[in-house]
Amino acid sequence: MLRVAVPNKGSLAEEASQMLRDAGYRQRADSRDLSLNDEANAVTFFYLRPKDIATYVSEGQLHLGITGHDLTEESSASVNQLLQLGFGQSKFRYAAPLRNEWSVQDLAGKRIATSYPRLVRANLAQQRIAAKDVIRLDGAVEISIELGVADAIADVVSSGRTLAQHGLVTIGDPITESQAVIIDRNAKFDQAPDSADTQREKSRFVERLRGVVYARRYVMLDYDCPVGLLERAVELTPGIESPTVAPLSNEKFVAVRSMVERKRVNDIMDELAELGATGIVTSSLQSCRAIGSPNGH
């Protein structure tokens, strides 16, 4: 059985489980469950703290894990990132009280509170900034300034609403950007390599989730196109390899089917209608296969 770690709570947990369901895997119905056997797919899922997942995977107790890129960086665990999953996007940034005008260099001599001390220390060293102290907190770091524990913070920022509520403003460029990823271990000399069967199971799991990533990025577009305008229509909807073109009973038209990027679909539909295509409809995808990587990972 393939052993896979999934976040048990937090911003990544619900979306990770939904993506696994879309990929055809069973998921727990009770949030108190710590594991679940999906016998039909030969996978056991373990629901763990997101911060611990990289450590379990790197030590070989689990074959694969879903967690945040920032969490793998903070852990310093020996893992590979196999696939970006397209959810849980965030930026890790410095922030400080709005009442002052700040630059990153102003952090010199300041106390910085964070849940990611390793990332912060590495970034400060890279910029040759000597902070007075980097204070590790497990959460709710925004309140640390109000309580007099810190002068500034470094934290994960999604919308920025929480920072604004506490009168804080971001400083400088993001320390790092993050989203959910699939990880596996970097094999160590004292660890036995995966068997051929395990490698195949890992590859199948990754490809299933890659299919869901692609399905969320693309939609299927169908339309009827006048034969004389087909070449121009294909330029608008080239598809992944090429569109499917099929004859219709009306010989003046052909049916065209093509995958197009979700974010561009309405613009493309407008252009096709202006061109003379008719019966233009879209349909959502749940998953797909064998069309490469959408993000270069």
Side-chain angles (χ1 to χ4, degrees):
M1 295 277 282
L2 198 66
R3 300 189 302 276
V4 178
V6 183
N8 66 341
K9 59 182 179 179
S11 59
L12 301 178
E14 184 176 345
E15 291 191 74
S17 289
Q18 185 57 55
M19 176 168 275
L20 289 166
R21 291 188 187 96
D22 290 346
Y25 295 103
R26 285 183 58 214
Q27 287 297 285
R28 62 181 182 174
D30 189 334
S31 61
R32 294 171 295 182
D33 292 342
L34 300 180
S35 64
L36 178 141
N37 286 329
D38 182 353
E39 295 182 2
N41 290 298
V43 180
T44 300
F45 293 102
F46 295 87
Y47 299 90
L48 307 173
R49 291 180 62 211
K51 285 188 173 182
D52 297 335
I53 288 175
T55 300
Y56 280 109
V57 173
S58 70
E59 294 301 320
Q61 287 94 347
L62 300 173
H63 296 114
L64 296 170
I66 296 175
T67 189
H69 165 75
D70 54 349
L71 297 174
T72 67
E73 293 293 300
E74 174 64 23
S75 73
S76 73
S78 182
V79 295
N80 298 314
Q81 296 188 16
L82 302 180
L83 179 67
Q84 295 176 348
L85 296 176
F87 65 86
Q89 289 93 340
S90 63
K91 296 180 180 180
F92 186 56
R93 309 192 67 162
Y94 295 113
L98 179 61
R99 62 181 177 270
N100 299 325
E101 292 187 9
W102 291 83
S103 71
V104 175
Q105 296 302 318
D106 293 328
L107 295 173
K110 299 295 191 295
R111 300 166 300 164
I112 304 172
T114 185
S115 299
Y116 299 78
R118 180 179 177 275
L119 280 177
V120 170
R121 291 191 180 101
N123 182 263
L124 292 172
Q126 182 181 19
Q127 301 191 68
R128 298 184 179 181
I129 296 172
K132 180 178 181 180
D133 195 11
V134 176
I135 303 162
R136 177 169 187 166
L137 298 175
D138 283 336
V141 297
E142 298 88 357
I143 200 68
S144 64
I145 297 175
E146 183 178 339
L147 294 177
V149 173
D151 305 301
I153 66 170
D155 200 18
V156 174
V157 178
S158 296
S159 67
R161 184 176 61 234
T162 303
L163 293 182
Q165 289 173 345
H166 291 273
L168 304 178
V169 61
T170 58
I171 304 172
D173 296 327
I175 300 169
T176 189
E177 298 188 21
S178 183
Q179 64 175 288
V181 293
I182 301 177
I183 58 173
D184 75 348
R185 63 171 179 157
N186 273 330
K188 301 177 181 178
F189 290 112
D190 59 346
Q191 291 178 337
D194 290 329
S195 67
D197 286 344
T198 298
Q199 287 285 6
R200 282 193 295 272
E201 291 169 1
K202 289 166 68 171
S203 178
R204 183 182 300 116
F205 181 88
V206 172
E207 290 309 310
R208 277 198 182 190
L209 267 68
R210 192 191 307 277
V212 177
V213 172
Y214 242 118
R216 293 180 175 183
R217 178 176 169 183
Y218 287 87
V219 297
M220 189 66 74
L221 183 66
D222 290 271
Y223 58 93
D224 295 339
C225 179
V227 173
L229 300 175
L230 179 60
E231 184 175 347
R232 292 169 61 189
V234 168
E235 290 177 0
L236 293 174
T237 60
I240 303 300
E241 300 294 343
S242 65
T244 299
V245 179
L248 294 174
S249 58
N250 182 342
E251 296 180 355
K252 295 180 180 180
F253 282 80
V254 290
V256 182
R257 164 169 280 201
S258 181
M259 288 174 63
V260 300
E261 285 192 282
R262 186 180 296 272
K263 65 183 181 182
R264 296 190 60 236
V265 66
N266 286 299
D267 290 336
I268 292 173
M269 292 174 74
D270 291 341
E271 294 181 63
L272 287 171
E274 292 171 3
L275 183 63
T278 62
I280 307 169
V281 297
T282 64
S283 52
S284 294
L285 305 171
Q286 179 171 317
S287 188
C288 48
R289 293 290 190 282
I291 51 178
S293 170
N295 50 40
H297 289 75

